Amino acid sequence: MRIQILDIKNFRGIASGHVVFRKHSLLVGGNNIGKSTVCEALELVLGPERIYHRPIIDEHDFYCGSYQRDDGYSLEIVIRVVLTDLNHKQQLRFCQHLRRWDKGQLKFVDEEADGISHADGPNVDWALPVVFIGRYDPEEDDFIGDTFFDHPMDDPDSLSDEEKASLGQGRSIFTRAHKRDCGFIYLRALRTGSRALSLQRGSLLDTILRLGEQGSANMWPAALRSLKELDPAIGEKSQLGLIRAQLQERLGRFINLASEGDQTSFYASDLTRDNLREVVKLFVATWPSNYPVPFSRQGTGSVNLLVFALLTMIADLKEENSAIFVMEEPEIALPPHIQRRVVKYVLQEMGQSIVTSHSPYIIEQYEAENVVVLGRDDKSCFGGKPIDRSLIKQKNYRAQRRQFAEAILSRAVFVVEGATEVVAINAASTALERFHTGYSHIDLSGVSLFDAGGDQEVPKYGPIFKALGKPVFGMRDKPNQTDQRGQDNIDAYDEFWESPELGVERILVDEVPESVLHGFLKEVKLRPDYPANCEYDASMVGEKLKTLAQKVLKARKGDSHGHGYAAILIEQCQSENELPRFIREALLYIDKFLTISTQNSPVPSEDETRPPSETASDG
C-alpha cells in the first residue's frame, strides 16, 4: 500500500492543496512552504495514535485560525488521501470500500467520462479513498475530528437529519485497527525522543511491544508486583522508617487507620501501569564513559538515531516492504555519511517513503522523478508534483547531482558557464552587499549558482529549472560559434546576459580601474601558484597591464579551489562603480527581480536597477 494523492482543505497554512506522490518521494520547497503541514496532514488521516491526542485539532489548525463563520456555521478541515497498490490481504480487508483507480489520469474511473468502459484496463487498479474531517462543536465547546472511508456521497437530501449533523455524514469510520494495517510511521523533525523512547501509549517502544507480541499485557502486572514486593522495601530505609512511624502515630489521632500491618508505606510509583508508562526510561551507555544514562541525556544526533532505529524495528515487524514511512529532516545533527546511510536504508526497506530535507547529501540520493517540488500558484493554491523525468536527462542529473540538489533547494537559479564565473559572481555579490544599501547577497536571497560547464551548455538548463517553478537567470560569454537551436531555451530564462567578449577574463580586466588591476597583481604575485611566465612591473599601464592581468587570470582559469584569482581581483574594488559592470548589473537586476516578485509587482527594467550616479563611462 502507498499514498498516491493528498488533497488538503482549510488546514494550517493551506486553504486548498493537491500533492502527488511517488513510491519514494522527496518533498522540497522553501521555508514555510508547507512541507511539515503535508506530513501532519498525512498523520491526521493515517496515524493510528494521532486520533487519540486531545485535542485532536485546535484553533491554530484551521486556515488563518478561522473555524466558525459569523453566522455560527462551523468550518471544516478536510484531508483526503488515496491509497493504491494494496496487497491481496488489504484488498480483502477493505473490499467494500475500494474504487477503481486510473493510474495514468490519477482519477477514479467513476469520475471519468465513459470511465466504466475501461474499468478493467491495464492501467486501472483498486484504490482506497479515506478522509479526515475536523471541525468545532459549539455544543461541547470543543474540537472534534475523525477519519472515514471516503466515497461519493449520496444525494444530501436523502440523508437523515442525524447523518447530516454527524461529522462523517453517514460514512463508515476508518478505525485505529484499519490504520495499523496501512503501516504508517511518522518521524518528526526537532525531536527529543521524550515520547518516542518512552513506554507511553502509542510510543515507538509500545508499538514494538504490541507488534512483536511480547506479552505486554502480562508485563505490567508482573512489573507492578515486583515494585510492590521490593526486598527491602523502599519504606524500610531507616530514614523513611522513622518518618513512617511518626506519621502513623500522628495520623492515628485524626483518622481510623488499618488495624493490622503497616498503615503507611513508600513505593517506587503509583503502582498503576499508566504511571509506569510515564516514568520508565530507556538508559543507554555510550563510549567513552560506558556509564548508562537516560536516553534524553544523549546528544541530539544519538537520540535521532535511536528514534530511527526503533522505527526500522517497527518496519521489520510488519510485512516485507509494507511500511509507509514519513520522515522530516533526517539530517538534523547527523554527519553526511550517516545521512546517506539512513536514506539508503529507507529507500531499500520501506514500501513507501516520504521525506523532507534541506540537505544536498540526502537530496542527491534521489532520482529526479522522485523529487516532489512544493509551491503555490498566483492564487495561493498549494500543490506538489514530481519532476517530469522527460525534462532532465538521467546522465546529466547523475553527473551533477550535488549542483541539482542545491538548485532544487533554492529560491532561484543563476546558470553560468564555468567555475571562474561562479567565483567572480560570489565575490561581486559580497562586495555589493558592502557597497550598495538595500542589496541582498545571492546567498541571502536564496539564489543557487549552477556551473553549466561551457557556453554551449548554458541555454539547455533554462527550461529545466523553469519547469520547477523557479525564477532562472543565465549568463555566458560570447559563444565561439552561433547555435540557433538554443534560442528557444534562452527564451525560457527570466533574464539572460551574453557578454560581448569571448572570455570572462577580458570582461574583468576591461571593466575595472587600473588601480584594481595593480592591487590584484601585487597580491597574487606573492602566491606560490602565481604563473611563472607572468612577470609584473608596477609601472605597467593601459593595454600592457590589462594583457598581463588577463594572462594571469587565464592561467588560473576555473580555479575555484580555496581563494580563486577572480575573487582576489574583485576584492580590490573599493566602490560599487569599480566592480565589473557586466556582473554588477546582472546581480542588481536579480536582486530587484526577487524583491519585486515577492511583492507581486512588475519586473524592473535594466535602467531601474542602475544606481542613480552611474554613467555610461563608469569602469
Side-chain angles (χ1 to χ4, degrees):
M1 179 181 288
R2 71 181 179 94
I3 300 165
Q4 178 86 76
I5 298 292
L6 169 68
D7 285 303
I8 300 175
K9 179 182 178 183
N10 200 32
F11 182 55
R12 302 272 177 93
I14 300 176
S16 176
H18 178 80
V19 184
V20 179
F21 298 97
R22 300 283 192 196
K23 178 180 179 181
H24 296 292
S25 298
L26 176 74
L27 307 184
V28 298
N31 288 333
N32 298 318
I33 195 65
K35 298 186 291 295
S36 295
T37 299
V38 167
C39 297
E40 294 281 353
L42 290 174
E43 191 194 27
L44 272 176
V45 181
L46 298 175
E49 310 304 329
R50 182 66 175 83
I51 206 74
Y52 294 97
H53 292 187
R54 285 292 177 263
I56 180 66
I57 52 175
D58 62 27
E59 291 88 339
H60 302 300
D61 286 316
F62 290 80
Y63 181 70
C64 292
S66 179
Y67 58 88
Q68 197 172 34
R69 291 193 319 220
D70 292 340
D71 61 2
Y73 178 81
S74 293
L75 301 174
E76 289 185 338
I77 293 172
V78 180
I79 304 171
R80 285 187 161 86
V81 166
V82 176
L83 298 162
T84 60
D85 294 352
L86 283 70
N87 60 32
H88 182 66
K89 179 180 176 181
Q90 291 165 335
Q91 289 186 21
L92 291 177
R93 176 79 187 271
F94 302 119
C95 60
Q96 60 182 328
H97 302 287
L98 300 181
R99 296 169 64 188
R100 299 298 279 173
W101 175 257
D102 188 328
K103 294 182 177 180
Q105 298 296 320
L106 297 181
K107 283 184 176 181
F108 289 106
V109 166
D110 52 32
E111 295 176 343
E112 298 179 12
D114 299 325
I116 195 67
S117 63
H118 65 273
D120 294 322
N123 210 31
V124 177
D125 200 357
W126 290 112
L128 175 66
V130 293
V131 59
F132 171 86
I133 302 173
R135 71 178 180 220
Y136 172 69
D137 183 352
E139 290 187 6
E140 297 294 330
D141 188 25
D142 197 6
F143 293 92
I144 57 175
D146 213 335
T147 308
F148 304 88
F149 291 101
D150 199 14
H151 52 77
M153 294 299 295
D154 296 330
D155 182 359
D157 295 334
S158 67
L159 299 175
S160 67
D161 291 341
E162 183 178 356
E163 287 177 329
K164 290 179 182 178
S166 69
L167 194 63
Q169 293 189 328
R171 298 178 177 91
S172 300
I173 292 179
F174 191 62
T175 67
R176 187 181 193 181
H178 293 141
K179 294 181 180 184
R180 286 174 178 164
D181 284 342
C182 297
F184 182 85
I185 303 171
Y186 179 25
L187 178 57
R188 284 179 173 82
L190 301 176
R191 48 201 175 270
T192 62
S194 57
R195 175 175 171 79
L197 293 168
S198 73
L199 286 171
Q200 296 177 45
R201 295 183 186 276
S203 70
L204 299 184
L205 283 173
D206 182 53
T207 302
I208 290 172
L209 284 171
R210 176 173 43 77
L211 289 177
E213 299 180 354
Q214 302 294 328
S216 57
N218 298 324
M219 176 188 75
W220 297 114
L224 293 171
R225 283 195 302 271
S226 297
L227 286 174
K228 190 172 184 178
E229 297 169 0
L230 281 175
D231 188 14
I234 292 177
E236 296 302 318
K237 301 295 183 183
S238 57
Q239 297 88 340
L240 294 178
L242 178 61
I243 293 175
R244 284 177 54 231
Q246 294 174 344
L247 185 60
Q248 287 176 193
E249 187 276 330
R250 189 58 56 92
L251 284 173
R253 300 179 186 181
F254 308 103
I255 300 174
N256 290 325
L257 299 176
S259 58
E260 297 181 359
D262 291 327
Q263 292 93 351
T264 58
S265 304
F266 286 97
Y267 292 109
S269 76
D270 288 347
L271 297 183
T272 67
R273 64 185 63 203
D274 282 338
N275 180 249
L276 282 190
R277 286 179 181 275
E278 293 290 334
V279 300
V280 173
K281 300 285 186 181
L282 173 68
F283 279 57
V284 180
T286 55
W287 184 88
S289 69
N290 297 322
Y291 177 75
V293 296
F295 68 85
S296 57
R297 299 294 183 91
Q298 301 289 335
T300 304
S302 296
V303 171
N304 288 349
L305 288 176
L306 280 169
V307 174
F308 179 75
L310 291 179
L311 289 167
T312 60
M313 290 174 64
I314 293 174
D316 290 344
L317 288 170
K318 296 180 179 292
E319 294 181 26
E320 184 178 0
N321 289 329
S322 64
I324 300 174
F325 191 81
V326 177
M327 180 166 55
E328 284 191 87
E329 300 181 16
E331 66 267 19
I332 294 176
L334 300 181
H337 65 282
I338 297 297
Q339 294 179 33
R340 288 191 290 265
R341 189 171 180 84
V342 164
V343 172
K344 286 178 180 178
Y345 180 90
V346 169
L347 293 175
Q348 292 171 1
E349 302 297 330
M350 303 299 174
Q352 181 181 23
S353 67
I354 299 171
V355 176
T356 74
S357 178
H358 291 93
S359 169
Y361 301 104
I362 288 175
I363 294 176
E364 66 185 13
Q365 303 300 313
Y366 287 82
E367 298 297 338
E369 63 265 23
N370 290 330
V371 177
V372 177
V373 181
L374 303 180
R376 300 176 190 269
D377 63 18
D378 294 338
K379 298 179 181 179
S380 295
C381 291
F382 179 86
K385 61 181 180 179
I387 294 175
D388 185 347
R389 68 181 67 187
S390 66
L391 293 173
I392 307 176
K393 292 183 179 179
Q394 285 291 352
K395 65 177 183 179
N396 290 336
Y397 184 78
R398 290 170 180 167
Q400 303 193 68
R401 278 181 182 271
R402 180 62 52 82
Q403 283 207 110
F404 270 110
E406 293 183 7
I408 285 168
L409 289 171
S410 68
R411 178 187 175 193
V413 184
F414 191 3
V415 183
V416 298
E417 72 170 73
T420 300
E421 285 80 0
V422 170
V423 169
I425 289 170
N426 261 315
S429 188
T430 299
L432 273 175
E433 188 177 33
R434 189 168 73 253
F435 299 141
H436 191 101
T437 302
Y439 172 81
S440 294
H441 193 284
I442 54 173
D443 286 343
L444 188 60
S445 298
V447 179
S448 174
L449 287 171
F450 190 94
D451 179 358
D455 57 71
Q456 296 295 321
E457 299 298 306
V458 174
K460 71 181 182 183
Y461 290 102
I464 293 173
F465 293 121
K466 198 63 182 176
L468 300 186
K470 299 179 182 294
V472 57
F473 310 96
M475 176 183 283
R476 68 174 178 178
D477 302 333
K478 180 180 179 181
N480 290 318
Q481 54 183 342
T482 302
D483 183 6
Q484 294 299 328
R485 293 173 301 173
Q487 187 57 46
D488 290 342
N489 291 341
I490 290 175
D491 292 341
Y493 281 89
D494 289 286
E495 190 63 33
F496 193 88
W497 294 272
E498 188 170 288
S499 164
E501 303 291 344
L502 290 176
V504 69
E505 295 81 12
R506 192 65 202 180
I507 286 288
L508 293 176
V509 300
D510 276 347
E511 296 190 353
V512 299
E514 290 189 1
S515 60
V516 170
L517 297 180
H518 279 295
F520 162 66
L521 291 169
K522 285 177 182 178
E523 180 167 340
V524 296
K525 75 174 185 177
L526 302 176
R527 290 174 54 131
D529 60 347
Y530 184 76
N533 59 343
C534 296
E535 186 174 345
Y536 168 64
D537 183 346
S539 65
M540 289 179 171
V541 294
E543 189 60 34
K544 189 174 183 180
L545 176 63
K546 292 182 179 181
T547 300
L548 176 64
Q550 182 179 358
K551 184 178 180 181
V552 171
L553 288 169
K554 282 191 172 182
R556 294 293 174 261
K557 184 177 179 67
D559 179 15
S560 58
H561 178 71
H563 200 47
Y565 271 50
I568 296 174
L569 183 146
I570 289 174
E571 286 170 358
Q572 306 305 310
C573 297
Q574 300 302 309
S575 70
E576 180 177 337
N577 287 340
E578 289 188 353
L579 293 169
R581 179 176 172 180
F582 181 66
I583 295 174
R584 178 186 63 194
E585 289 186 355
L587 288 173
L588 288 171
Y589 180 91
I590 292 171
D591 182 60
K592 279 291 183 71
F593 183 102
L594 295 178
T595 300
I596 292 178
S597 65
T598 300
Q599 301 168 352
N600 199 24
S601 301
V603 180
S605 67
E606 288 193 28
D607 289 340
E608 292 174 315
T609 67
R610 296 178 183 174
S613 61
E614 181 175 301
T615 66
S617 61
D618 284 343

